[in-house]
Amino acid sequence: MYIETDRTIIRSIQRGDEKAYAEMAKDGSLSEIGFDENFSDWAENWINEAVELTEKDDPRVDYIPCTIILKSSSKVIGNVGCTYYEDTDKIGICYFVGTAYRRNGYVSEAVNEYISYFFNHYDEREIIATIKDANVPSWKTAEKCGFKLMETKMYKDIDDEKEELYRFYVVKR
């Protein structure tokens, strides 16, 4: 997969991308998704799994992460992709960007292009977003990209220790 936006490139994840993600994890940028300062200890296993899932190209298996690269510097700045929620039998969008690149519209640009790619590439009618209510920048990005709020409720995501308040969004084809 390869998409160019005005300022970014979105491409299939590759071996080597884990180095940039590990740097983002060290500064705390990725703590919300479970990538902490120890991510480099297990990054190689994660990237191997991510590449394998990308090659399968089935959004109903697990997740398909894609790397976001800043055109102006060729630097890896984040990730956008999809993940399968077994508990709801729905496919959700997932995205993150390093702290240094937030509040510049890069993620919105990437999310909009990914949604278009998703509906053109897969035979799916909708994609959801599950976002912790406290993660205001993330749900504002979702709303900016056309996601509509379906409900707000207590939910325990796979990596959560306890139930938390989540916002559930949807975009339909």
Side-chain angles (χ1 to χ4, degrees):
M1 184 259 242
Y2 183 91
I3 301 169
E4 288 194 33
T5 71
D6 289 341
R7 301 174 301 155
T8 66
I9 295 168
I10 307 160
R11 63 153 167 78
S12 297
I13 198 164
Q14 302 173 358
R15 286 177 181 82
D17 289 346
E18 72 275 15
K19 293 173 185 131
Y21 298 147
E23 287 302 312
M24 286 182 247
K26 280 182 191 173
D27 74 12
S29 294
L30 310 184
S31 61
E32 185 71 29
I33 61 162
F35 289 15
D36 61 13
E37 64 277 355
N38 298 318
F39 174 66
S40 59
D41 296 344
W42 50 276
E44 185 176 346
N45 290 336
W46 179 83
I47 199 76
N48 287 335
E49 178 182 271
V51 168
E52 183 180 307
L53 290 167
T54 298
E55 289 169 354
K56 288 181 181 175
D57 198 27
D58 183 352
R60 291 190 170 270
V61 171
D62 197 342
Y63 65 96
I64 303 174
C66 304
T67 299
I68 304 170
I69 300 166
L70 193 58
K71 274 186 180 178
S72 62
S73 66
S74 299
K75 186 164 178 69
V76 172
I77 64 167
N79 192 287
V80 64
C82 62
T83 189
Y84 180 63
Y85 291 92
E86 288 180 30
D87 59 339
T88 62
D89 190 32
K90 301 217 182 258
I91 300 167
I93 194 160
C94 48
Y95 48 86
F96 64 79
V97 69
T99 303
Y101 302 98
R102 293 181 183 164
R103 300 177 126 341
N104 291 296
Y106 299 129
V107 173
S108 298
E109 206 171 294
V111 166
N112 279 324
E113 287 300 321
Y114 186 81
I115 292 168
S116 179
Y117 167 84
F118 179 84
F119 287 130
N120 287 323
H121 189 72
Y122 302 111
D123 186 25
E124 297 292 338
R125 302 180 68 108
E126 67 181 23
I127 189 167
I128 66 168
T130 59
I131 304 167
K132 289 180 183 176
D133 188 61
N135 190 347
V136 176
S138 188
W139 58 258
K140 285 193 174 191
T141 296
E143 290 175 355
K144 183 178 179 181
C145 294
F147 281 85
K148 303 294 180 212
L149 182 63
M150 295 184 306
E151 65 180 322
T152 302
K153 67 178 182 179
M154 296 301 287
Y155 179 70
K156 185 179 180 299
D157 203 355
I158 194 165
D159 292 320
D160 292 344
E161 291 181 20
K162 60 182 176 28
E163 277 193 342
E164 296 187 53
L165 189 61
Y166 271 81
R167 298 169 73 92
F168 287 76
Y169 290 89
V170 68
V171 166
K172 296 186 183 235
R173 180 187 297 259

